[in-house]
Amino acid sequence: MMKQTRLAIDVGGTFTDVFVFDETTGKVSVTKTSSTPSNPERGILDGIEKAQLNGQEIKVFSHGTTVGTNALIERKLPKTALITTKGFRDVPEIRRGTKADLWDTYKDTAKPYIQRRDRFEITERTDYQGNVMTEINEDEVRQLARKLKKRGTESIAICLINSYVNGGNEAKVKAIIQEELPEVYVCTSSEVLPEMFEHERMSTTVVNAVLGPIISNYIHKLEKEMVKKGYEDDILVLHSGGGVMTSSTVPRYAARLASSGIAAGAIASKHIAKLCGFNNAIGLDMGGTSTDISLMYDGDIRITKDWFIEYGYPIGFPSIEILTIGAGGGSLAWVDEGGSLRNGPQSAGAVPGPACYQRGGVEPTNSDANLVLGRLGVDLLNGSMILDKEKAKQAVAKIAQRFNYSLEEAADAIIKVANANMCDALRLISVRRGYDPRDFALVAFGGAGPLHGAHVAKEMDIPTVIIPPHPGVAAAMGCLLVDVRHDISKTYVKNFDDVSADELEAEFVKMEHEAEELLEEEGVGSDHSTLMRYVDMRYKGQWRSLAIPVSDGYPSLEQIVEGFHQEHEREFAYSNRRQIVEIYGLRVTAIGTVPKPEFPKYGPSGSLEDAEKEVREVYFDGEFVAAKVYDREKIPVLSTIQGPAIVDQLDTTTVIPPEFSATVDVYKNLIITANK
C-alpha cells in the first residue's frame, strides 16, 4: 500500500485533536477525541481509529503532547536523586530568592522537584576556568550509587560546580553510576545545558531527569502500539523550540517536551499568516480555559530562554515565547471585593462547564455571555451538542443584578472584560517589546478565538484578522509544519573588543560538528540541514543578553556589534554605543528540513446564498441587529461576507461585527477587515 497520509495529533488536557492530510487528493479531514491523561498514548490511538487510519497508510506521524507538562504540574514524578558538589546541595531550595508575587507573604513558591533528602554531595572541584582542582573519589561515588539502588532511585541528575566549562568530572560520575545502576536514567548538566548560572543549569538538568523516565516510557509504549498498527517509521515529537525530535532523541532531552503542545499553535499561526502573505503576525489561540499568545516578526517567531512550568524552576532550553492568560470560553465572570467585574482566570472547566452546557455549572462564563448575545447558536458540533439558553440567562443574571444592568448589558460587559484581558496580554508581547500592533495581522484560532478575534483586533487597531479553515484543530496542524531542530549552546564570556573573527569561527565550527552529529542521529543528511549561528551579547555589567544572528565568515565584527545596538534600542528603547559590549554565549541552531504538505488552492464553487443557514438577532453596540448565519463549509472561495454576520462550523463560531467584512481566500482562510 502506498503511504500517502500525513497525520498530526495535538494531545491536550481535555481533547486530542487529529489533523489528517491526504497528499494524493489534497483533502484535509479533522476529528477530536477525549484525552486519556492516565494513559496518554490511548487517546492518540483512539484518535487514529476515529480518523479510520491504519499505520500502513501513514507517511509521516508528528504530534505534540502534554505528558511532560502534566507530570510537572501534578508532581507525578519518578523517584529522582541529584548529585552535586559539596556545598551546593541547597541550590534548588535557594533558587534566586524571588517570588511570583513578591508582596504576597502567604503564597509560597512550589517545592523543588527533588526533595533535600534525595540530594547528595560528593567531593570534587573544578574552578571557573575549567581546571580540575579536586578529582572525584571513585569509592565515594560507588558507595553513593549503592545507597541510591537500595532507595529504589529511578533517575539521577548530575550537576557539578563549573561543569559548563569542563564536564570531565560529571562524565566520570555518570560512567560509575551507569556501571552500578545500568537500568537507571542518568543525565549530566554538561550534556543537557552547558551554560553558567548554577540555579538555571541545575534546574534544567533536574527537570530533564524527572521527565526522562516518564517520556521514555511514553514513547516506547506509543512506538509499540504504532508498530501493531503497521506504522514503523519515526514518531516525531514537537518540542518547546518549535521543532521536532525523533523518538530516539526525545528521552535525552526530555525537558524540551515541557511545553510541547503549546508550541504547536504558534507554529500553525506562523504558517497561516505566511500563507496569507503576512510576515508579521500575532497568534491568538483561545480555548476553553486559557489563551496562548505568540508573536512572529519578519517571518520569525520570538524565542525565549526565560520560561518555566512552575515559577522558580527555569528551563534553559530555547522555547517559543508564548504568553498564557486565563481567558477561555469557560472563564468565569465574577465581582471582586472592590465591586469591579472580573473575568477569569478561574474556569468552569470541562466539568461542570459553562451553565449552558447542562453539566451542573451555574456560574456565568464567556460562553454563556456569547449565547445570551446571540453570537453563539444553541446548536453546536453539527447538532451533537445543544446549549441551554435559559440556563445561560440565569447565570448571566447574577452579574446583571449586581450592577443593575439588563441581561444583554451584563453579557456584553462580561465579553468586554474578557477582550480587555486579552488586549492587555497582546500589549505585553507586542508594544512592550517595541512592536506596533498596527503592523501585524491577528491569527485567531482555537475553539473560542474566532468568537473574539475581530473585537480584540478593533481594540488594538490591528487591521486584519485571519481565521484558518479548521481553527479548533489548528494546533494539531502545526505539528505537521515543523522541521527537526536542535539548539547547541556554550557559555563564552569575553569583551567583544578582545575577540577575533578566527576565535569565534573556531568555536562555532566545534559546535556545528556536534549539531551535525545530532542531525545524523535523527537521520537527516547534510543536503537537508541548515546551521544558524547566534552570538548572545549584552552591555558589560548587564544581566540579560540578546541573541544576535551572525553570518558565515564574519564580513565585519563591527556589523555584529551594530546589530546588537539596534536590537537593544528596539527591545528596551535604549542603546549606548560608547558602552563596552560583552559576549555572553554562543549558540548554533541546527535545522533538518522535513517535507511539509502543500495545501491545495481552491476555486469558486456554489453561491453565498446557498451557505446561508438563518438570520439571527445578535447584540452589537448596545442593540440587537439582524445577522446572517453562514455554514462555513458552503461559503464559496473568493466570496465576501458583510457584517454583521456569524459563521458556523464544526469546531468553532466566527463573529463578524458590523462595519467589518470577511473574504474567503483560495486556501479557505477567512480574512476579516474593517470596512473603509
mmCIF file of all heavy atoms in Angstrom, residues 112-142:
data_model
loop_
_atom_site.group_PDB
_atom_site.id
_atom_site.type_symbol
_atom_site.label_atom_id
_atom_site.label_comp_id
_atom_site.label_asym_id
_atom_site.label_seq_id
_atom_site.Cartn_x
_atom_site.Cartn_y
_atom_site.Cartn_z
ATOM 1 N N PRO A 112 10.860 22.176 45.506
ATOM 2 C CA PRO A 112 11.731 21.641 44.445
ATOM 3 C C PRO A 112 11.231 20.279 43.965
ATOM 4 O O PRO A 112 10.583 19.532 44.707
ATOM 5 C CB PRO A 112 13.097 21.521 45.128
ATOM 6 C CG PRO A 112 13.042 22.474 46.273
ATOM 7 C CD PRO A 112 11.619 22.471 46.740
ATOM 8 N N TYR A 113 11.552 19.953 42.705
ATOM 9 C CA TYR A 113 11.135 18.665 42.158
ATOM 10 C C TYR A 113 11.867 17.502 42.835
ATOM 11 O O TYR A 113 11.372 16.377 42.833
ATOM 12 C CB TYR A 113 11.387 18.633 40.647
ATOM 13 C CG TYR A 113 10.554 19.633 39.884
ATOM 14 C CD1 TYR A 113 11.147 20.643 39.136
ATOM 15 C CD2 TYR A 113 9.162 19.571 39.921
ATOM 16 C CE1 TYR A 113 10.383 21.560 38.433
ATOM 17 C CE2 TYR A 113 8.387 20.488 39.229
ATOM 18 C CZ TYR A 113 9.002 21.492 38.485
ATOM 19 O OH TYR A 113 8.244 22.399 37.801
ATOM 20 N N ILE A 114 13.059 17.775 43.390
ATOM 21 C CA ILE A 114 13.789 16.761 44.141
ATOM 22 C C ILE A 114 13.955 17.270 45.566
ATOM 23 O O ILE A 114 14.558 18.324 45.792
ATOM 24 C CB ILE A 114 15.173 16.477 43.515
ATOM 25 C CG1 ILE A 114 15.016 15.990 42.064
ATOM 26 C CG2 ILE A 114 15.933 15.437 44.331
ATOM 27 C CD1 ILE A 114 16.337 15.748 41.361
ATOM 28 N N GLN A 115 13.416 16.527 46.541
ATOM 29 C CA GLN A 115 13.474 16.965 47.929
ATOM 30 C C GLN A 115 14.897 16.836 48.490
ATOM 31 O O GLN A 115 15.737 16.120 47.958
ATOM 32 C CB GLN A 115 12.507 16.135 48.771
ATOM 33 C CG GLN A 115 11.048 16.278 48.344
ATOM 34 C CD GLN A 115 10.580 17.722 48.341
ATOM 35 O OE1 GLN A 115 10.682 18.406 49.352
ATOM 36 N NE2 GLN A 115 10.093 18.206 47.192
ATOM 37 N N ARG A 116 15.145 17.537 49.584
ATOM 38 C CA ARG A 116 16.500 17.622 50.133
ATOM 39 C C ARG A 116 17.069 16.245 50.491
ATOM 40 O O ARG A 116 18.267 15.990 50.312
ATOM 41 C CB ARG A 116 16.512 18.516 51.377
ATOM 42 C CG ARG A 116 17.915 18.949 51.800
ATOM 43 C CD ARG A 116 17.861 19.971 52.909
ATOM 44 N NE ARG A 116 19.160 20.642 53.047
ATOM 45 C CZ ARG A 116 20.152 20.181 53.797
ATOM 46 N NH1 ARG A 116 20.006 19.055 54.459
ATOM 47 N NH2 ARG A 116 21.286 20.855 53.869
ATOM 48 N N ARG A 117 16.234 15.356 50.966
ATOM 49 C CA ARG A 117 16.732 14.029 51.361
ATOM 50 C C ARG A 117 17.242 13.222 50.168
ATOM 51 O O ARG A 117 17.940 12.216 50.336
ATOM 52 C CB ARG A 117 15.624 13.254 52.071
ATOM 53 C CG ARG A 117 14.396 12.980 51.215
ATOM 54 C CD ARG A 117 13.358 12.158 51.953
ATOM 55 N NE ARG A 117 12.124 12.010 51.198
ATOM 56 C CZ ARG A 117 11.101 12.848 51.266
ATOM 57 N NH1 ARG A 117 11.173 13.898 52.065
ATOM 58 N NH2 ARG A 117 10.018 12.649 50.542
ATOM 59 N N ASP A 118 16.872 13.643 48.964
ATOM 60 C CA ASP A 118 17.308 12.942 47.754
ATOM 61 C C ASP A 118 18.381 13.719 46.991
ATOM 62 O O ASP A 118 18.672 13.403 45.837
ATOM 63 C CB ASP A 118 16.103 12.690 46.828
ATOM 64 C CG ASP A 118 15.090 11.742 47.452
ATOM 65 O OD1 ASP A 118 15.536 10.731 48.020
ATOM 66 O OD2 ASP A 118 13.882 12.022 47.382
ATOM 67 N N ARG A 119 18.953 14.733 47.641
ATOM 68 C CA ARG A 119 20.042 15.492 47.027
ATOM 69 C C ARG A 119 21.338 15.161 47.763
ATOM 70 O O ARG A 119 21.408 15.296 48.991
ATOM 71 C CB ARG A 119 19.741 16.995 47.076
ATOM 72 C CG ARG A 119 18.415 17.359 46.414
ATOM 73 C CD ARG A 119 18.319 18.846 46.110
ATOM 74 N NE ARG A 119 18.301 19.678 47.285
ATOM 75 C CZ ARG A 119 17.222 20.205 47.850
ATOM 76 N NH1 ARG A 119 16.033 19.955 47.339
ATOM 77 N NH2 ARG A 119 17.311 20.992 48.912
ATOM 78 N N PHE A 120 22.372 14.771 47.034
ATOM 79 C CA PHE A 120 23.599 14.263 47.640
ATOM 80 C C PHE A 120 24.821 15.040 47.142
ATOM 81 O O PHE A 120 24.868 15.456 45.977
ATOM 82 C CB PHE A 120 23.774 12.773 47.314
ATOM 83 C CG PHE A 120 22.627 11.930 47.794
ATOM 84 C CD1 PHE A 120 21.540 11.667 46.964
ATOM 85 C CD2 PHE A 120 22.609 11.417 49.078
ATOM 86 C CE1 PHE A 120 20.478 10.902 47.396
ATOM 87 C CE2 PHE A 120 21.550 10.650 49.527
ATOM 88 C CZ PHE A 120 20.478 10.390 48.684
ATOM 89 N N GLU A 121 25.789 15.204 48.035
ATOM 90 C CA GLU A 121 27.023 15.924 47.715
ATOM 91 C C GLU A 121 28.191 14.949 47.611
ATOM 92 O O GLU A 121 28.244 13.945 48.337
ATOM 93 C CB GLU A 121 27.330 16.956 48.794
ATOM 94 C CG GLU A 121 26.244 18.013 48.959
ATOM 95 C CD GLU A 121 26.534 18.994 50.081
ATOM 96 O OE1 GLU A 121 27.336 18.642 50.977
ATOM 97 O OE2 GLU A 121 25.974 20.095 50.061
ATOM 98 N N ILE A 122 29.117 15.241 46.689
ATOM 99 C CA ILE A 122 30.336 14.446 46.579
ATOM 100 C C ILE A 122 31.547 15.383 46.599
ATOM 101 O O ILE A 122 31.431 16.579 46.330
ATOM 102 C CB ILE A 122 30.368 13.590 45.298
ATOM 103 C CG1 ILE A 122 30.326 14.488 44.044
ATOM 104 C CG2 ILE A 122 29.250 12.572 45.281
ATOM 105 C CD1 ILE A 122 30.567 13.732 42.754
ATOM 106 N N THR A 123 32.692 14.820 46.912
ATOM 107 C CA THR A 123 33.936 15.595 46.960
ATOM 108 C C THR A 123 34.511 15.733 45.558
ATOM 109 O O THR A 123 34.847 14.741 44.907
ATOM 110 C CB THR A 123 34.969 14.891 47.864
ATOM 111 O OG1 THR A 123 34.387 14.677 49.155
ATOM 112 C CG2 THR A 123 36.227 15.731 48.006
ATOM 113 N N GLU A 124 34.585 16.940 45.053
ATOM 114 C CA GLU A 124 35.182 17.242 43.741
ATOM 115 C C GLU A 124 35.195 18.749 43.589
ATOM 116 O O GLU A 124 34.477 19.473 44.281
ATOM 117 C CB GLU A 124 34.408 16.577 42.607
ATOM 118 C CG GLU A 124 33.070 17.216 42.264
ATOM 119 C CD GLU A 124 33.170 18.389 41.292
ATOM 120 O OE1 GLU A 124 33.991 18.350 40.366
ATOM 121 O OE2 GLU A 124 32.415 19.366 41.470
ATOM 122 N N ARG A 125 36.004 19.250 42.662
ATOM 123 C CA ARG A 125 36.005 20.695 42.428
ATOM 124 C C ARG A 125 36.671 21.024 41.092
ATOM 125 O O ARG A 125 37.748 20.518 40.774
ATOM 126 C CB ARG A 125 36.762 21.423 43.545
ATOM 127 C CG ARG A 125 36.570 22.939 43.545
ATOM 128 C CD ARG A 125 35.171 23.285 44.007
ATOM 129 N NE ARG A 125 34.975 24.719 44.100
ATOM 130 C CZ ARG A 125 33.981 25.293 44.756
ATOM 131 N NH1 ARG A 125 33.117 24.541 45.397
ATOM 132 N NH2 ARG A 125 33.852 26.598 44.779
ATOM 133 N N THR A 126 35.991 21.863 40.327
ATOM 134 C CA THR A 126 36.534 22.427 39.091
ATOM 135 C C THR A 126 36.448 23.938 39.212
ATOM 136 O O THR A 126 35.406 24.464 39.626
ATOM 137 C CB THR A 126 35.733 21.943 37.864
ATOM 138 O OG1 THR A 126 35.800 20.515 37.789
ATOM 139 C CG2 THR A 126 36.288 22.539 36.576
ATOM 140 N N ASP A 127 37.510 24.657 38.850
ATOM 141 C CA ASP A 127 37.460 26.112 39.019
ATOM 142 C C ASP A 127 36.769 26.771 37.826
ATOM 143 O O ASP A 127 36.365 26.099 36.858
ATOM 144 C CB ASP A 127 38.862 26.691 39.267
ATOM 145 C CG ASP A 127 39.763 26.647 38.031
ATOM 146 O OD1 ASP A 127 39.269 26.356 36.921
ATOM 147 O OD2 ASP A 127 40.976 26.907 38.183
ATOM 148 N N TYR A 128 36.657 28.081 37.866
ATOM 149 C CA TYR A 128 35.886 28.812 36.861
ATOM 150 C C TYR A 128 36.502 28.754 35.473
ATOM 151 O O TYR A 128 35.849 29.020 34.464
ATOM 152 C CB TYR A 128 35.703 30.272 37.299
ATOM 153 C CG TYR A 128 36.950 31.118 37.162
ATOM 154 C CD1 TYR A 128 37.124 31.955 36.069
ATOM 155 C CD2 TYR A 128 37.955 31.068 38.122
ATOM 156 C CE1 TYR A 128 38.269 32.730 35.942
ATOM 157 C CE2 TYR A 128 39.091 31.830 38.007
ATOM 158 C CZ TYR A 128 39.254 32.671 36.916
ATOM 159 O OH TYR A 128 40.384 33.435 36.788
ATOM 160 N N GLN A 129 37.806 28.414 35.405
ATOM 161 C CA GLN A 129 38.470 28.295 34.112
ATOM 162 C C GLN A 129 38.431 26.873 33.560
ATOM 163 O O GLN A 129 38.915 26.619 32.465
ATOM 164 C CB GLN A 129 39.931 28.744 34.240
ATOM 165 C CG GLN A 129 40.089 30.240 34.518
ATOM 166 C CD GLN A 129 41.543 30.648 34.637
ATOM 167 O OE1 GLN A 129 42.331 29.946 35.269
ATOM 168 N NE2 GLN A 129 41.884 31.766 34.022
ATOM 169 N N GLY A 130 37.855 25.952 34.327
ATOM 170 C CA GLY A 130 37.760 24.575 33.877
ATOM 171 C C GLY A 130 38.876 23.679 34.364
ATOM 172 O O GLY A 130 38.954 22.507 33.969
ATOM 173 N N ASN A 131 39.755 24.185 35.225
ATOM 174 C CA ASN A 131 40.834 23.368 35.777
ATOM 175 C C ASN A 131 40.299 22.491 36.905
ATOM 176 O O ASN A 131 39.640 22.991 37.819
ATOM 177 C CB ASN A 131 41.966 24.251 36.312
ATOM 178 C CG ASN A 131 42.540 25.162 35.241
ATOM 179 O OD1 ASN A 131 42.851 24.714 34.134
ATOM 180 N ND2 ASN A 131 42.665 26.454 35.551
ATOM 181 N N VAL A 132 40.595 21.193 36.841
ATOM 182 C CA VAL A 132 40.142 20.269 37.887
ATOM 183 C C VAL A 132 41.043 20.428 39.101
ATOM 184 O O VAL A 132 42.224 20.085 39.073
ATOM 185 C CB VAL A 132 40.156 18.815 37.394
ATOM 186 C CG1 VAL A 132 39.745 17.869 38.521
ATOM 187 C CG2 VAL A 132 39.210 18.647 36.202
ATOM 188 N N MET A 133 40.492 20.964 40.182
ATOM 189 C CA MET A 133 41.251 21.180 41.409
ATOM 190 C C MET A 133 41.205 19.953 42.317
ATOM 191 O O MET A 133 42.164 19.652 43.024
ATOM 192 C CB MET A 133 40.698 22.404 42.145
ATOM 193 C CG MET A 133 40.728 23.678 41.306
ATOM 194 S SD MET A 133 39.890 25.052 42.113
ATOM 195 C CE MET A 133 40.987 25.336 43.502
ATOM 196 N N THR A 134 40.050 19.249 42.301
ATOM 197 C CA THR A 134 39.898 18.031 43.103
ATOM 198 C C THR A 134 39.225 16.965 42.240
ATOM 199 O O THR A 134 38.098 17.162 41.776
ATOM 200 C CB THR A 134 39.041 18.288 44.354
ATOM 201 O OG1 THR A 134 39.609 19.355 45.106
ATOM 202 C CG2 THR A 134 38.959 17.040 45.221
ATOM 203 N N GLU A 135 39.930 15.863 42.026
ATOM 204 C CA GLU A 135 39.357 14.766 41.261
ATOM 205 C C GLU A 135 38.259 14.087 42.091
ATOM 206 O O GLU A 135 38.247 14.167 43.318
ATOM 207 C CB GLU A 135 40.439 13.735 40.913
ATOM 208 C CG GLU A 135 41.507 14.244 39.957
ATOM 209 C CD GLU A 135 41.040 14.276 38.507
ATOM 210 O OE1 GLU A 135 39.894 13.831 38.247
ATOM 211 O OE2 GLU A 135 41.811 14.749 37.654
ATOM 212 N N ILE A 136 37.377 13.395 41.409
ATOM 213 C CA ILE A 136 36.326 12.673 42.136
ATOM 214 C C ILE A 136 36.933 11.484 42.869
ATOM 215 O O ILE A 136 37.971 10.948 42.477
ATOM 216 C CB ILE A 136 35.210 12.191 41.184
ATOM 217 C CG1 ILE A 136 35.753 11.123 40.221
ATOM 218 C CG2 ILE A 136 34.577 13.326 40.433
ATOM 219 C CD1 ILE A 136 34.676 10.335 39.539
ATOM 220 N N ASN A 137 36.275 11.081 43.937
ATOM 221 C CA ASN A 137 36.668 9.895 44.696
ATOM 222 C C ASN A 137 35.776 8.746 44.227
ATOM 223 O O ASN A 137 34.584 8.700 44.525
ATOM 224 C CB ASN A 137 36.485 10.146 46.194
ATOM 225 C CG ASN A 137 36.964 8.987 47.044
ATOM 226 O OD1 ASN A 137 36.789 7.828 46.687
ATOM 227 N ND2 ASN A 137 37.572 9.313 48.172
ATOM 228 N N GLU A 138 36.358 7.811 43.476
ATOM 229 C CA GLU A 138 35.578 6.750 42.860
ATOM 230 C C GLU A 138 34.842 5.903 43.898
ATOM 231 O O GLU A 138 33.667 5.540 43.706
ATOM 232 C CB GLU A 138 36.488 5.855 42.011
ATOM 233 C CG GLU A 138 35.721 4.772 41.262
ATOM 234 C CD GLU A 138 36.596 4.000 40.288
ATOM 235 O OE1 GLU A 138 37.590 4.571 39.787
ATOM 236 O OE2 GLU A 138 36.277 2.820 40.040
ATOM 237 N N ASP A 139 35.497 5.591 45.003
ATOM 238 C CA ASP A 139 34.852 4.783 46.046
ATOM 239 C C ASP A 139 33.643 5.506 46.631
ATOM 240 O O ASP A 139 32.609 4.884 46.918
ATOM 241 C CB ASP A 139 35.856 4.462 47.159
ATOM 242 C CG ASP A 139 36.933 3.481 46.706
ATOM 243 O OD1 ASP A 139 36.675 2.754 45.729
ATOM 244 O OD2 ASP A 139 38.021 3.467 47.305
ATOM 245 N N GLU A 140 33.796 6.811 46.812
ATOM 246 C CA GLU A 140 32.683 7.608 47.352
ATOM 247 C C GLU A 140 31.476 7.546 46.424
ATOM 248 O O GLU A 140 30.328 7.396 46.872
ATOM 249 C CB GLU A 140 33.144 9.056 47.546
ATOM 250 C CG GLU A 140 32.068 9.979 48.102
ATOM 251 C CD GLU A 140 32.503 11.438 48.142
ATOM 252 O OE1 GLU A 140 33.451 11.798 47.399
ATOM 253 O OE2 GLU A 140 31.887 12.220 48.896
ATOM 254 N N VAL A 141 31.729 7.666 45.120
ATOM 255 C CA VAL A 141 30.635 7.645 44.145
ATOM 256 C C VAL A 141 29.984 6.263 44.102
ATOM 257 O O VAL A 141 28.755 6.138 44.024
ATOM 258 C CB VAL A 141 31.138 8.058 42.747
ATOM 259 C CG1 VAL A 141 30.003 7.967 41.722
ATOM 260 C CG2 VAL A 141 31.694 9.477 42.776
ATOM 261 N N ARG A 142 30.793 5.211 44.163
ATOM 262 C CA ARG A 142 30.230 3.855 44.121
ATOM 263 C C ARG A 142 29.381 3.578 45.362
ATOM 264 O O ARG A 142 28.324 2.939 45.277
ATOM 265 C CB ARG A 142 31.354 2.823 43.993
ATOM 266 C CG ARG A 142 32.037 2.843 42.630
ATOM 267 C CD ARG A 142 32.919 1.636 42.377
ATOM 268 N NE ARG A 142 33.614 1.772 41.111
ATOM 269 C CZ ARG A 142 33.092 1.487 39.921
ATOM 270 N NH1 ARG A 142 31.850 1.035 39.860
ATOM 271 N NH2 ARG A 142 33.791 1.634 38.817
#
